[in-house]
Amino acid sequence: MFRPGISPPGIDAEEEQPRPVEDARQPTAAERVRTLAQSSVSALLTIPGAEPDLREPGAGVPEARTVTPDGDVLLLVPADSLEARVSAYAQDDDLAAVMEITDVAPVSVPHRLRGRAWVAGWLTPVRGEDRAVCARLLAEAAPSAPVAGTSRRMLRLEVGEAYVDDLWGEEAVEPDDFATAAPDPLAAHEAELLQHLAAAHQEQVRGLCACQGWEQAVPLALDRFGLRVRGWSGTGPCMDARFDFPEPVGTVAELRHAMHALFAAGA
């Protein structure tokens, strides 16, 4: 079976992104890719040999996306887009495509690019009886997206391989692992929660990192296992500190209790 390749990450200004050195509990690579694939962060869909004109606003950017229970990625694109036109007659493994997902921190910190993920596979239109089910999944993932009507097309990306390069490191992900992975339960609320922590709990966050001697400390990432804070002083390099919750959390209510416990320990 042909497996579309994924180019390794390029070298850019974010190559100095701090990496974890502590022995912290962490989501698996498959869970991290699945979380990004089902999130609302920026994504770009490319078809090798039929690249869109990236000078056109929105070219190659799906209007909505989600992942089916079987692990296929559903994409909503304009009916007149290159992706819709090229895939109109695609069958099975005829048309290779790659979706690149870029995750940028929702708070102001040095090195805001938190990571990238690549999901490669085969692109086909959603056809027949699958259309109603896929439309419902996309509508649940993006309620404001124009799923109904003739001006949009639903496409299916059957995953052949995936790769992630993020705060935890770099790792390849097999399609079966991607299909069975679950997205982080806090992902939909993470941006709002981090912004709230940065704006309303700055002193408590700094208290967590008192032993580091940082002048600035900003909450950078949040998942069910814990909180990551980025700190720096003067012109020196920034560093990350990870704070595990006593137990993994699954809801915002559980997160509040976990954060209160962290802040109490920091105080």
Side-chain angles (χ1 to χ4, degrees):
M1 180 188 299
F2 171 74
R3 295 184 61 168
I6 301 176
S7 300
I11 298 175
D12 56 26
E14 299 296 338
E15 63 181 341
E16 298 179 359
Q17 183 80 273
R19 297 291 195 188
V21 294
E22 70 280 11
D23 184 20
R25 290 177 298 177
Q26 60 181 276
T28 67
E31 290 170 338
R32 282 141 49 199
V33 176
R34 184 72 179 252
T35 296
L36 289 176
Q38 293 189 223
S39 72
S40 59
V41 300
S42 175
L44 178 65
L45 181 66
T46 59
I47 299 173
E51 305 294 340
D53 186 349
L54 297 182
R55 294 171 297 180
E56 296 181 2
V61 179
E63 296 183 2
R65 66 179 187 272
T66 192
V67 182
T68 71
D70 294 330
D72 294 336
V73 181
L74 298 179
L75 305 162
L76 184 69
V77 301
D80 60 353
S81 66
L82 179 143
E83 297 77 31
R85 290 184 280 109
V86 172
S87 64
Y89 302 101
Q91 299 289 335
D92 298 328
D93 59 354
D94 285 349
L95 185 63
V98 180
M99 181 175 67
E100 178 179 351
I101 310 167
T102 303
D103 181 27
V104 178
V107 291
S108 180
V109 291
H111 306 293
R112 287 188 65 182
L113 178 59
R114 299 192 300 186
R116 291 192 178 97
W118 292 260
V119 180
W122 303 275
L123 197 66
T124 55
V126 175
R127 299 185 173 99
E129 297 178 355
D130 289 342
R131 291 180 56 82
V133 174
C134 292
R136 176 177 56 79
L137 292 174
L138 281 167
E140 291 174 354
S144 61
V147 177
T150 60
S151 62
R152 301 293 185 275
R153 294 289 183 270
M154 291 181 291
L155 306 181
R156 183 193 307 273
L157 181 65
E158 179 187 349
V159 178
E161 60 180 333
Y163 187 89
V164 63
D165 178 13
D166 62 6
L167 297 170
W168 294 108
E170 304 176 41
E171 192 171 344
V173 174
E174 292 297 322
D176 288 345
D177 294 333
F178 176 84
T180 57
D184 190 88
L186 301 180
H189 310 284
E190 188 202 19
E192 180 182 358
L193 291 168
L194 288 175
Q195 291 166 358
H196 174 73
L197 287 173
H201 298 279
Q202 187 176 25
E203 290 304 318
Q204 290 97 323
V205 172
R206 187 178 291 114
L208 291 174
C209 311
C211 63
Q212 303 286 347
W214 294 335
E215 295 176 5
Q216 300 288 334
V218 179
L220 174 68
L222 186 67
D223 57 58
R224 71 184 186 278
F225 293 119
L227 172 71
R228 181 186 295 270
V229 177
R230 178 157 296 170
W232 63 95
S233 298
T235 59
C238 61
M239 298 179 63
D240 285 5
R242 175 76 178 185
F243 301 92
D244 282 354
F245 300 139
E247 298 291 339
V249 301
T251 65
V252 174
E254 292 176 0
L255 174 67
R256 292 194 184 99
H257 292 294
M259 290 304 306
H260 288 158
L262 281 184
F263 289 155

